[in-house]
Amino acid sequence: MRRLRKVKIVATLGPSSNTYEMIRTLHEAGADVFRLNMSHGSHEDITKLHRAIRQVEKDLDSPIAILADLQGPKLRVGEFANGEEELEWGETFRLDLDETPGDHKRVHLPHPEIFQALGVGAHLLVNDGKIRLRVEECGEDFANCVVEAGGTISNRKGVNVPDVVLPLAALSDKDRKDLEFVAALGVDWLALSFVQRPEDVEEARKLCDGRAAILSKIEKPSAVKSFDRILEASDGIMVARGDLGVEMPVQAVPPIQKRLIRKCRTAGKPVIVATQMLESMIESPMPTRAEVSDVATAIYEGTDAIMLSAESAAGDYPVEAVTTMNNVAIGVENDPTYTEILEASRHIERTTVADGIVAAAREIAETANIKVICCFTSSGNTPALVARERPRVPIIAMTSLRGTARRLSLTWGTNCVMTGELERFKQAVVNAARAARAQGYAGTEDQIVVTAGVPFNMPGTTNILRVAPCDERLIFSTDPE
């Protein structure tokens, strides 16, 4: 399905969007990737959603990526005898391993790993950062704190520990079970929560065993510090601004977002900007102007994808939210400033034959009024390298592998087209010309750029660049076999 924009849209599915009809409508409105939140819903629910997405994909003949988002370890306080308590600034409050229901002086924190990592001066944030505690004294089973920001604390509220690297794996027992389930089910991307270090990614990759691409969510200060190594270990990145904004000063998040996007672009790996992008559209058919500016900023920065969470999963206006994102993206990408920003921020170290070929493809396409760049791929690497160049013209990724086409649905600027296995380069050029015409990118009087690797169907062999006419008669009369 041809899009009139290059940035991709990720839509989370949930109670507001769990039917075939709604999923199809969301895809037609602009959703390229569907996110399955493993924090909500049973395996039976996830199976139904997966089945519906694949049916939409089949009916529309349009590759769709499925992203399964693992919950990650959840750190929470215990329960209070009265259900909740009020904490005042300057008061002392104790967290410990005593399972006795809490009161206004203390509460159970059933995570010995936190106490092992804490030091004096460290902070604990409760209820999405609304309550802030500073550690004054701590041991292996307690932490005595001073309240720096008070408020209501109640049963099972979440806890964040921003100042230390916790001795916790990114995968809980639930996550390991969910990972095996969705990998066997057949998702395309696997998002990891609570990533602190590259070793967390490596553990998930080993368990996944090549069945899905790995996307690391950057939501902790420790992940920001270790980002270069985490990026190297991952296939993609999600800038999860919700938890990141809780654990770091809010004013630090925008520059971090900008830096992470640029590093992902340089590496040629897809990056998603997520959390609260159109939050008001959970209850309103119209976004705020600030939300529109937030979405536009991420697009101007060159992100591969922008994501809807509760807006499409549980909101009253899921289709309107997707449509709004689609319209904002089209508006931004039609602004000449968008191209200027992308080209000014293009910093790529080219070291391989494939790097040189895709750079040449972009230069030729933009110099000679070429309509589209067509990439033949088995692994998806060549279209990703072309997308890294952020060309002004569209990219058609042609592959015989459905899984590759689906994964590329997350990559900036790519339109995926299924093709049969090829043995001759001339047939590849003919198929590319037909796809360019069928998708409406070019007419018979236009030219296209074709990249491929010979021998065919072998990853990592990109070694040919051809400027070809879209008129098949000219291809057959002029191209070599």
Side-chain angles (χ1 to χ4, degrees):
M1 181 175 292
R2 181 184 176 183
R3 303 297 191 195
L4 300 178
R5 53 174 162 78
K6 295 172 181 175
V7 73
K8 301 302 180 73
I9 295 174
V10 182
T12 304
L13 298 182
S16 296
S17 51
N18 59 6
T19 65
Y20 168 90
E21 292 76 16
M22 179 57 75
I23 292 170
R24 176 167 178 156
T25 300
L26 292 176
H27 181 59
E28 292 174 331
D32 305 288
V33 180
F34 287 111
R35 171 176 172 258
L36 307 180
N37 189 349
M38 303 307 294
S39 299
H40 306 288
S42 65
H43 284 186
E44 181 181 359
D45 295 331
I46 297 298
T47 300
K48 290 178 181 178
L49 291 174
H50 182 277
R51 187 182 301 123
I53 295 167
R54 291 299 183 230
Q55 189 61 50
V56 171
E57 178 184 71
K58 180 180 178 182
D59 292 347
L60 297 179
D61 191 25
S62 178
I64 301 173
I66 300 178
L67 167 66
D69 195 336
L70 299 181
Q71 175 177 287
K74 289 299 178 186
L75 308 178
R76 301 183 185 279
V77 299
E79 298 188 349
F80 291 84
N82 296 325
E84 62 180 40
E85 295 287 347
E86 288 293 323
L87 300 186
E88 300 289 342
W89 178 88
E91 290 182 343
T92 59
F93 192 74
R94 180 183 176 94
L95 302 164
D96 55 43
L97 294 179
D98 183 353
E99 296 183 11
T100 304
D103 54 29
H104 69 287
K105 288 292 185 181
R106 60 156 297 278
V107 74
H108 180 216
L109 181 63
H111 302 289
E113 307 90 349
I114 293 180
F115 298 115
Q116 293 170 21
L118 284 179
V120 173
H123 289 88
L124 295 106
L125 310 175
V126 185
N127 193 14
D128 291 333
K130 294 181 176 67
I131 294 174
R132 186 178 182 90
L133 308 174
R134 186 183 73 250
V135 177
E136 292 281 284
E137 180 186 5
C138 57
E140 63 182 15
D141 59 356
F142 76 97
N144 292 331
C145 306
V146 171
V147 180
E148 290 190 337
T152 302
I153 184 171
S154 55
N155 296 340
R156 307 291 298 161
K157 288 300 182 183
V159 177
N160 295 80
V161 190
D163 301 330
V164 297
V165 176
L166 296 175
L168 282 172
L171 297 175
S172 65
D173 290 340
K174 170 181 166 33
D175 293 327
R176 290 183 175 88
K177 293 176 183 176
D178 287 345
L179 186 155
E180 179 56 36
F181 168 72
V182 295
L185 187 63
V187 301
D188 309 294
W189 286 90
L190 192 69
L192 305 181
S193 301
F194 210 85
V195 174
Q196 300 183 92
R197 53 184 85 81
E199 291 79 9
D200 295 331
V201 186
E202 291 160 6
E203 179 189 5
R205 188 175 297 282
K206 183 177 180 181
L207 293 172
C208 198
D209 195 25
R211 292 174 290 178
I214 304 295
L215 187 141
S216 295
K217 295 168 66 176
I218 305 302
E219 52 192 352
K220 298 187 69 62
S222 54
V224 175
K225 291 178 182 177
S226 301
F227 182 72
D228 289 348
R229 293 191 298 138
I230 291 172
L231 175 60
E232 184 178 359
S234 308
D235 300 308
I237 294 292
M238 181 188 295
V239 184
R241 304 177 306 172
D243 281 320
L244 198 58
V246 169
E247 299 210 1
M248 302 189 74
V250 291
Q251 68 271 17
V253 175
I256 288 171
Q257 173 178 311
K258 186 179 293 288
R259 290 201 305 273
L260 300 192
I261 289 173
R262 289 203 177 184
K263 288 187 176 187
C264 290
R265 283 181 55 194
T266 299
K269 296 183 178 182
V271 54
I272 304 170
V273 174
T275 317
Q276 297 178 330
M277 300 212 81
L278 295 175
E279 185 86 355
S280 69
M281 292 194 74
I282 295 173
E283 298 177 343
S284 169
M286 290 291 292
T288 67
R289 306 304 181 265
E291 289 168 340
V292 171
S293 293
D294 182 38
V295 173
T297 296
I299 299 169
Y300 275 117
E301 289 169 352
T303 187
D304 287 81
I306 44 183
M307 192 176 96
L308 295 167
S309 298
E311 301 96 328
S312 58
D316 295 332
Y317 303 97
V319 177
E320 289 83 352
V322 171
T323 301
T324 297
M325 270 198 164
N326 183 71
N327 292 340
V328 172
I330 292 172
V332 168
E333 293 181 13
N334 283 330
D335 177 8
T337 307
Y338 174 68
T339 302
E340 293 171 8
I341 292 172
L342 291 189
E343 294 181 353
S345 59
R346 184 187 293 133
H347 303 291
I348 301 171
E349 183 179 349
R350 303 181 181 92
T351 58
T352 67
V353 171
D355 290 340
I357 284 177
V358 299
R362 176 185 58 78
E363 289 279 4
I364 293 169
E366 294 174 357
T367 302
N369 193 30
I370 301 295
K371 297 301 182 182
V372 66
I373 299 172
C374 298
C375 312
F376 284 85
T377 185
S378 56
S379 66
N381 185 56
T382 300
L385 291 177
V386 176
R388 180 177 68 171
E389 297 282 337
R390 296 297 192 261
R392 299 178 190 178
V393 301
I395 304 164
I396 296 180
M398 305 194 66
T399 182
S400 61
L401 302 176
R402 179 69 65 175
T404 297
R406 289 167 174 165
R407 284 194 298 275
L408 284 169
S409 296
L410 186 58
T411 298
W412 182 95
T414 56
N415 180 57
C416 301
V417 174
M418 297 300 300
T419 184
E421 290 193 2
L422 302 168
E423 297 181 359
R424 298 164 55 204
F425 183 66
K426 179 181 285 189
Q427 188 57 53
V429 176
V430 170
N431 286 4
R434 289 173 178 172
R437 295 198 311 270
Q439 295 287 324
Y441 290 114
T444 54
E445 71 284 359
D446 294 316
Q447 289 184 311
I448 60 174
V449 167
V450 182
T451 69
V454 176
F456 283 105
N457 306 314
M458 289 184 62
T461 60
T462 300
N463 52 19
I464 295 179
L465 184 154
R466 173 79 166 93
V467 178
C470 267
D471 190 331
E472 290 180 38
R473 295 170 299 176
L474 296 177
I475 296 173
F476 281 109
S477 64
T478 61
D479 273 34
E481 291 295 321

